[in-house]
Amino acid sequence: MSTAGVIVVSAVLITAVVVSVFRSSEMLAALLDLLCTESTCPAVGLAFSGWAIVGGPFLLAGLIILISTPSATARYAMLACAGLGVVGFTMVWAGFDKLHGSYPDFVPLHVGAVAAILALVVGGTISGDPAHHSWERPRYSSSARLPTAAMPLLAVGACELLALAAVLLWVTAFR
């Protein structure tokens, strides 16, 4: 990436996070208005939404590296996915205190978001570093395995899917 590209992407991501901090209660209230009635909030919908807000973009980033060719567009798309995950996490956690008590129990939303963050940490930890320390995927023949550069995002994506399954199992079995 060029220096200008890094500066622009960084400025956009920082701006998105700052806006999500200040507008988190409105964004979270809009989501809860979609999911909740005046008396109840469906636990399965909240848990899935909490995971989708944070984990969905990271799963999408893993899919982008699987299906795209190495290009600047793919890199920016993966950065946008990571930015969406960070904004989603910021929205869920910054809006919690402001909305506490306004809605029925919306703890499953936070459980889903925490599961997505833990899956990100575990997936990043178990995958190790890319072999060539570059954003570019090495060229390989169609008969070769996936390149090791894809493994961190693929491990995160697999862990995100496992986290989603665990959260939905928790909600249906224990909630």
Side-chain angles (χ1 to χ4, degrees):
M1 262 203 241
S2 68
T3 304
V6 170
I7 291 170
V8 168
V9 168
S10 299
V12 168
L13 290 177
I14 290 169
T15 302
V17 169
V18 169
V19 167
S20 69
V21 167
F22 289 112
R23 298 288 183 198
S24 61
S25 60
E26 292 92 2
M27 290 187 291
L28 192 56
L31 175 68
L32 291 174
D33 285 342
L34 287 173
L35 295 172
C36 299
T37 63
E38 290 183 18
S39 60
T40 63
C41 286
V44 172
L46 286 174
F48 178 77
S49 296
W51 174 85
I53 289 169
V54 179
F58 290 108
L59 182 64
L60 185 59
L63 290 174
I64 288 170
I65 201 166
L66 274 177
I67 62 174
S68 68
T69 58
S71 67
T73 305
R75 283 191 296 264
Y76 288 123
M78 287 187 292
L79 284 172
C81 289
L84 282 173
V86 171
V87 166
F89 178 75
T90 305
M91 179 187 81
V92 169
W93 287 101
F96 178 73
D97 288 336
K98 296 175 186 173
L99 296 178
H100 191 65
S102 302
Y103 290 87
D105 182 30
F106 60 97
V107 169
L109 181 81
H110 292 281
V111 172
V114 167
I117 290 297
L118 290 176
L120 175 65
V121 170
V122 169
T125 303
I126 65 172
S127 67
D129 292 333
H132 55 81
H133 301 288
S134 167
W135 280 79
E136 297 293 333
R137 290 194 317 188
R139 300 208 184 274
Y140 59 99
S141 68
S142 60
S143 64
R145 297 180 327 136
L146 281 171
T148 57
M151 289 307 140
L153 281 175
L154 296 177
V156 167
C159 287
E160 289 294 350
L161 289 174
L162 290 173
L164 175 61
V167 165
L168 293 178
L169 178 68
W170 171 77
V171 166
T172 56
F174 301 110
R175 248 347 239 182

